[in-house]
Amino acid sequence: MKSAVYPGSFDPFTTGHLDVLKHAYGLFDTVYIGVLHNRSKNCVFPSDERRAMIEQVLHAEGLTNVRVCTFDGLLVDFMKQVDASYIIRGLRTTGDYLYEAEIASVNKHLMPEAQTVYFAADPRLAFISSGIVREIASFGGDIDGLVPAPIRKIIAERLIKR
Ligand code: PNS
């Protein structure tokens, strides 16, 4: 059994995240999306809500071998819990690479069998980030195409009210 974790804040889950997930989907028996529940990171959406939104997207997309969990603490501990040794991450820019190389090294130090697998972002989606979605939606801008359709309304409504 080849299992992978796809960890992140997902605040909120974007079309870019979904694209990475779809590429990883066929390569692993099970993908565990790990939604970081981190009190020190000021997320707009509570972790349970982020998880529920992702589950809604998975259902709509028919991605059946993906489980969504929230986790706290170290990623490697979450990986041990679900018995996964691969970490999925998306790469958009060279800036991403510097950050990603650092966290991959930390994870490898903590868990030598951990392998980080990168997926290059579709160039048409490479500008999308959760932060950009929050920024546009907070001013009432159109986030069509930036987040998966089933969760667009809830994200837009929540962010404009802030
Ligand atoms: O989507 P993000 O916010 O860039 O994801 C970052 C994430 C969740 C992958 C990273 O912060 C993480 O793994 N946090 C858990 C704590 C941990 O394991 N730290 C050591 C590796 S950086």
Side-chain angles (χ1 to χ4, degrees), residues 7-10 36 41 71 73-76 89 99 103 106-107:
S9 304
F10 304 116
L36 184 66
K41 232 179 168 180
F71 78 100
L74 290 175
L75 176 61
V76 292
R89 296 287 285 172
Y99 169 64
I103 63 173
V106 174
N107 287 324

Side-chain angles (χ1 to χ4, degrees), residues 32-49:
Y32 295 91
I33 297 185
V35 177
L36 184 66
H37 171 79
N38 191 342
R39 287 168 212 97
S40 66
K41 232 179 168 180
N42 277 336
C43 286
V44 172
F45 295 93
S47 55
D48 280 346
E49 207 173 326

